[in-house]
Amino acid sequence: QVQLVESGGGLVEAGGSLRLSCAASGRTFSSRAMGWFRQAPGKEREFVAAINWSDINTYYADSVKGRFTISRDNAKNTVYLQMSSLKLEDTAVYYCASGRYSSSSTGYDYWGQGTQVTVSS
């Protein structure tokens, strides 16, 4: 099994920056990708970014490309989401997930409990 714990969420002003962390524990596999998703109130969960755990390939949703950066520290079994130029519409609960390199939530089988990101004006 893989256990994922997100941290780093909080309240930030529009235009500000925030870095989310997702620490993985238990069994981890170098071939598994990591992804970030988010879910705003009243909306469906949407893809944010993904990174191949065994490679350097990354993929971003159009809505965050150029503003967010996904990265990893394999020594710490941790994936990060550096968020900058935050917008009000970025407000959501952010989830990290482990699975196949994909922009679809169906490609992931392990999920963290989420961390709240609130962007204020």
Side-chain angles (χ1 to χ4, degrees), residues 30-76:
S30 61
S31 61
R32 296 182 70 86
M34 298 293 293
W36 285 98
F37 291 77
R38 67 186 182 186
Q39 187 167 21
K43 296 183 178 180
E44 295 183 351
R45 187 170 299 183
E46 65 174 346
F47 169 77
V48 176
I51 185 168
N52 192 318
W53 195 255
S54 62
D55 208 344
I56 59 173
N57 298 321
T58 58
Y59 182 70
Y60 299 91
D62 289 341
S63 60
V64 306
K65 193 171 186 178
R67 300 188 298 118
F68 291 9
T69 301
I70 188 170
S71 61
R72 67 177 187 260
D73 185 338
N74 289 331
K76 293 181 170 62

Side-chain angles (χ1 to χ4, degrees), residues 1 3 14 26 32 35 38 44 50-51 72 83 86 104 115:
Q1 66 175 3
Q3 296 175 329
R32 296 182 70 86
R38 67 186 182 186
E44 295 183 351
I51 185 168
R72 67 177 187 260
M83 310 162 67
L86 284 163
S104 173
T115 185

